[in-house]
Structure formats: C-alpha cells, structure tokens
Amino acid sequence: MEACDLGLIGDASSTHSLPTMSGKHTDLPTIDSSTMSSLFDSSSNFTIIDCRYPYEYQVGHIQGAINIYTEQGIQTFMESRLHSTKNDILIYHCEFSSHRGPKLMRFLRSMDRKQNSHRYPELNFPEIYLLDGGYKAFYQHNKVQCNPQAYLPMLHEDHSKDLRHFRVRSKSWTAGEKRTRSRRVIRSPY
C-alpha cells in the first residue's frame, strides 16, 4: 500500500496537514477549492504552482502562484529551493488539473525521489497536493483570490498561435527519447 493511500505525506513522516479528497488522479493527494482558499487565512507556508501556459496565467491566476509549465522549469524551481530550510506545501494545478498539473507534480516527485535516493524515504518536498478542478473551479468560487480576476481557457480562439507555440515547447520535454507503448501499470512515485 502506498503512503498516499494511508494518508501520509511523501516521506511517510506524518499525515497530510490538509484535508484530502478523492479525485480523478487516485495516486495524487488532492484538495478542493475551499481548502485552497482557506490557506490564505492560515499561517501555513505554501507555494502554488500554476502549470498553465503563460498566456493563460497572465490573464488571471491565484494570488501568489508561480507559473511553471515545463519539466525544465520544475528542475529550476527544485534547484532554487535545494538548500531551503522552509518546508513549503506545494499545490499544483492547471486549467482543470487533468493533465499538465498532475504530470508536472509527478515529475517533481520523481526527481525528488532520485535526488534523495541515498537517504530514502526523505524528500525535499514531502507534502504536495493537486487542486481539484484546477484554476477554472477555483476561479468560479474564489474570484477575489485571483489576480487579475479573470479566466482564459487554454483553447481560446484568440490564442491558438500561443497554444501551438507552448505545446511544442512542452512536448519537446521528451525530444530525442524513443516513445514506446507499454501496457504495464505505472506505479505512483509516492
């Protein structure tokens, strides 16, 4: 049984500090919009990682969110926090928290496991969550905590050129790697 299934954070040192819920991605600890909203009134240290493309983020995002939409961006973020003693809660999302957010969340966990393999199960980022429903759901209920207070869908017709540009950049993460089809079950990095 995985640590996530037991309600433990990634390094199994404690239980989640935030209430989790069942979401589309059963291997990822997920929080709802009201839990995310309540963090602004708490003393918790948290970082929101908005995995949407820059044109979506610039139109509107959750207050204080940082925009990281590539694996290279995640690596740079991890390196910048390598020697930090602050144990932030990380909260990932994209437009719906269906693909981009979960993908980059799993990537961070995988990289964190690799970097800390010599001291397993310790992690630099033990407590990470996915925001259920993504920015769209959060915006619908918490506009006042968004800055600017707006929402732009990824597929907005005025940004089709931007979408092609950023999709090519994000798809190039695996440039040069041979893709294979596999029917094996992929285990959660938790």
Side-chain angles (χ1 to χ4, degrees):
M1 187 171 273
E2 300 292 326
C4 181
D5 299 334
L6 299 172
L8 300 175
I9 63 173
D11 64 1
S13 63
S14 65
T15 58
H16 293 109
S17 63
L18 302 178
T20 59
M21 57 173 286
S22 297
K24 178 180 175 183
H25 301 275
T26 57
D27 62 319
L28 302 177
T30 303
I31 62 170
D32 63 21
S33 291
S34 63
T35 299
M36 174 74 248
S37 178
S38 69
L39 283 174
F40 289 100
D41 297 326
S42 75
S43 60
S44 298
N45 291 324
F46 64 96
T47 300
I48 306 164
I49 300 178
D50 187 329
C51 302
R52 296 176 302 147
Y53 297 132
Y55 68 91
E56 298 169 273
Y57 173 85
Q58 290 165 0
V59 169
H61 56 271
I62 301 172
Q63 291 174 10
I66 57 174
N67 187 215
I68 304 175
Y69 61 97
T70 64
E71 288 180 354
Q72 179 59 49
I74 293 294
Q75 288 175 327
T76 301
F77 170 79
M78 290 177 72
E79 290 165 7
S80 73
R81 301 281 181 100
L82 200 54
H83 301 292
S84 175
T85 56
K86 191 167 92 172
N87 233 357
D88 273 2
I89 294 169
L90 301 183
I91 301 162
Y92 281 76
H93 75 85
C94 54
E95 183 175 8
F96 305 110
S97 289
S98 292
H99 182 71
R100 296 174 285 172
K103 181 178 179 179
L104 290 177
M105 184 176 168
R106 287 183 183 109
F107 179 76
L108 176 126
R109 174 60 80 226
S110 175
M111 294 302 297
D112 202 7
R113 286 266 182 240
K114 281 182 189 173
Q115 287 178 356
N116 292 290
S117 61
H118 64 286
R119 55 188 197 131
Y120 180 84
E122 290 183 40
L123 295 166
N124 295 324
F125 305 96
E127 193 163 7
I128 60 177
Y129 298 93
L130 183 67
L131 176 60
D132 187 58
Y135 180 74
K136 183 177 183 187
F138 185 85
Y139 176 75
Q140 288 174 337
H141 302 288
N142 305 283
K143 287 180 184 159
V144 296
Q145 292 173 326
C146 298
N147 184 19
Q149 293 181 10
Y151 163 66
L152 179 77
M154 177 182 78
L155 299 175
H156 192 279
E157 62 188 28
D158 291 348
H159 291 274
S160 58
K161 185 177 177 182
D162 293 327
L163 175 61
R164 281 191 303 276
H165 170 76
F166 290 111
R167 269 208 173 141
V168 166
R169 284 189 65 182
S170 63
K171 297 246 186 255
S172 68
W173 295 341
T174 56
E177 292 179 17
K178 184 177 179 183
R179 291 183 180 232
T180 59
R181 288 194 170 244
S182 175
R183 292 187 180 240
R184 66 187 163 99
V185 176
I186 297 174
R187 304 249 354 164
S188 170
Y190 289 93

